[in-house]
Amino acid sequence: MSIECESENTSFKIAVAGTGYVGLVAGVCFAEVGHQVTCVDIDKDKVQLMKSGVSPIYEADLEELMQKNYAAGRLEYTTDYKSAYREADAIFIGVGTPEQPDGSANLSYIATVARQIAETIEKDCLVVVKSTVPVGTNDKVQQFIHDFLPREGEKTTSNGAGRSIRVEVASNPEFLAQGTAVRDTLQAARIIIGTDSKWAEDILMKIYEPFNIPIVSVQRRSAEMIKYASNDFLALKISYMNDIANLCELVGADIEDVARGMSFDERIGSKFLNAGIGYGGSCFPKDTKALEYLARQHGYELKTVKAAIDVNTDQKTILYKKASKRLITFNGLKVAVLGLTFKPGTDDLREAASLENVPLLLDQGAEIYAYDPVGKSNFSKKYPEGRNGKGSIKYVENIQEALDGANVCFVYTEWGEIREIKPEVYKELMRTPLVYDGRNLYGIQEMEEAGVEYYSIGR
Ligand code: NAD
């Protein structure tokens, strides 16, 4: 995947703070369209890895573009933020804003970068916050940077001049989905920029010009809200379908048919209608909680989003609860777990269904045989191979090994190769062909015909 850069486009010196899913992909894509990019991270090992041409995250096309743009001299990686920020026309912030125990967003990483920027920059510079931050945060970031800028005469720039520099903060929320991050960036449906001055708006417009993607330019606070409103809407859609799916089971309807019937209505749309074991990942869970928290702070109860959160919490363990009713115990049973990551196409485990369910199974004394094409390395950091409390976990190299002799199987992630398993394979390999499918990957009838006892969601 690549974009041809038109020669008349202006090339900017861009620094990107944080090389996670958002920062690294943004940095690489900025380089791809012709900007001069330095990616900054505090993690030395990560920087070393990236310099050697290896992507620290699993994301289609990313490594290839990293290598191409690094070789072309448009992309660099460093832990030395000073050298990167000092030279930059624009600094994009893509550090994490993880959830805190009360649901609010942890803004300490943003604050650290803001302070580093203030203490480093020596020329006019636009700071662009890509991280997802509560509405109003960027006003504070701008104030924070101004508060920490050395006063005139306090410090001279490296070229000896005193400083009077313009620095503003813009909001540029990110909408990429993990697994398709590069495509989502180079071919985004829209780019949202939130600025409170023409100067900032012009710079961002020029930076994004070579992408040739519609730009929606709004006030900074509205841009911040667009991000939360979009993510929470999708989370709501998922929870709504899961809620309806649970009711379908009780009243004898099939959620797959219901979703298909709904999907023809353009007002509803055909995406995000799949029922399953709930949403996970680094965004929906935390962004729903953060918006709900923000509303509470303002004395408002965001009832819809609250409901989405509640439904999702229950949904994550719905299969475990079903299986617990069917089996006397998991103790000593061989349990095949297919899929560990929160969705296919990524090695990210954040808020994955597996992380909710595996500890429950281990606690019951299950002997888990887990398979995931890329999730093993991250998962085994949390649950090392071997005994884990009352149970044990073994990571296997293929699906067959996981299923061989298993008493029960749980499907948590819809990887293509898991979807492709024929019902007969479950019947042939498992000791008891009992399958709990959290992603509705197989037909009820075909599983029944193959002799598999099969439970899924909403049908
Ligand atoms: P991440 O946790 O994968 O990466 C954050 C990176 O920032 C890490 O590599 C960390 O070492 C680095 N870092 C921390 N402090 C630093 C500092 N002072 N200077 C330089 N680097 C520093 O995070 P992510 O998943 O890329 O998410 C980043 C933000 O983007 C979050 O606010 C998230 O909500 C938002 N977002 C994420 C996604 C997604 O799919 N992951 C999509 C849209 C928006």
Side-chain angles (χ1 to χ4, degrees), residues 38-188:
T38 306
C39 290
V40 180
D41 207 291
I42 46 172
D43 186 332
K44 286 194 191 91
D45 296 340
K46 220 177 200 182
V47 168
Q48 225 24 63
L49 201 64
M50 293 187 291
K51 279 185 170 173
S52 70
V54 178
S55 169
I57 52 171
Y58 177 81
E59 201 57 63
D61 299 327
L62 184 60
E63 205 163 83
E64 182 196 328
L65 291 189
M66 285 171 70
Q67 290 166 4
K68 175 183 157 193
N69 286 288
Y70 188 71
R74 287 192 297 267
L75 182 61
E76 283 176 50
Y77 310 100
T78 185
T79 51
D80 176 14
Y81 69 85
K82 287 187 179 160
S83 64
Y85 299 164
R86 202 181 290 130
E87 300 291 315
D89 303 311
I91 303 170
F92 284 74
I93 303 181
V95 295
T97 49
E99 181 186 325
Q100 304 200 96
D102 62 2
S104 63
N106 178 349
L107 299 175
S108 62
Y109 300 97
I110 299 267
T112 302
V113 177
R115 189 164 177 167
Q116 290 169 337
I117 290 171
E119 291 171 351
T120 307
I121 50 172
E122 295 182 349
K123 58 174 201 169
D124 293 356
C125 172
L126 183 66
V127 175
V128 188
V129 176
K130 264 205 163 297
S131 304
T132 305
V133 292
V135 182
T137 301
N138 286 318
D139 296 0
K140 292 183 197 157
V141 174
Q142 180 156 313
Q143 188 58 52
F144 196 75
I145 292 177
H146 284 163
D147 288 348
F148 280 100
L149 275 178
R151 288 173 214 289
E152 210 139 341
E154 201 172 291
K155 182 186 166 192
T156 51
T157 59
S158 51
N159 61 13
R163 57 197 268 154
S164 166
I165 52 177
R166 180 170 194 171
V167 51
E168 278 185 33
V169 174
S171 168
N172 173 218
E174 180 54 63
F175 296 91
L176 64 79
Q178 286 174 223
T180 50
V182 171
R183 192 183 71 204
D184 291 347
T185 305
L186 292 176
Q187 298 167 14

Side-chain angles (χ1 to χ4, degrees), residues 279-326:
Y279 55 75
S282 65
C283 292
F284 292 169
K286 93 173 161 58
D287 293 348
T288 41
K289 287 180 201 151
L291 194 63
E292 204 260 322
Y293 179 88
L294 183 76
R296 247 187 298 132
Q297 292 299 97
H298 286 77
Y300 186 75
E301 192 186 357
L302 205 54
K303 290 182 188 152
T304 48
V305 173
K306 209 162 172 288
I309 297 167
D310 290 346
V311 169
N312 200 57
T313 304
D314 289 348
Q315 200 69 9
K316 284 230 171 123
T317 52
I318 202 157
L319 291 181
Y320 173 80
K321 287 174 223 147
K322 276 187 198 180
S324 299
K325 283 190 194 152
R326 160 73 175 75

Side-chain angles (χ1 to χ4, degrees), residues 273-425:
L273 294 181
N274 293 335
I277 37 168
Y279 55 75
S282 65
C283 292
F284 292 169
K286 93 173 161 58
D287 293 348
T288 41
K289 287 180 201 151
L291 194 63
E292 204 260 322
Y293 179 88
L294 183 76
R296 247 187 298 132
Q297 292 299 97
H298 286 77
Y300 186 75
E301 192 186 357
L302 205 54
K303 290 182 188 152
T304 48
V305 173
K306 209 162 172 288
I309 297 167
D310 290 346
V311 169
N312 200 57
T313 304
D314 289 348
Q315 200 69 9
K316 284 230 171 123
T317 52
I318 202 157
L319 291 181
Y320 173 80
K321 287 174 223 147
K322 276 187 198 180
S324 299
K325 283 190 194 152
R326 160 73 175 75
L327 298 158
I328 304 170
T329 175
F330 288 102
N331 191 18
L333 295 194
K334 175 173 177 182
V335 178
V337 164
L338 301 184
L340 296 169
T341 56
F342 86 90
K343 69 173 187 178
T346 178
D347 57 353
D348 198 345
L349 293 175
R350 288 177 280 189
E351 304 274 344
S354 60
L355 287 177
E356 291 284 325
N357 288 284
V358 162
L360 295 175
L361 292 166
L362 290 171
D363 222 36
Q364 291 285 316
E367 288 169 16
I368 296 175
Y369 283 65
Y371 172 75
D372 189 288
V374 300
K376 172 185 158 183
S377 141
N378 283 342
F379 206 86
S380 59
K381 285 180 200 149
K382 290 179 196 284
Y383 295 98
E385 182 152 291
R387 286 226 74 74
N388 278 267
K390 291 184 201 157
S392 66
I393 187 159
K394 182 172 167 52
Y395 298 95
V396 294
E397 295 305 320
N398 57 58
I399 292 169
Q400 284 67 24
E401 242 184 290
L403 293 179
D404 197 17
N407 301 95
V408 56
C409 170
F410 288 95
V411 176
Y412 295 137
T413 321
E414 66 274 36
W415 285 101
E417 57 197 284
I418 299 175
R419 194 185 288 279
E420 280 162 21
I421 306 170
K422 298 261 174 293
E424 304 79 60
V425 174

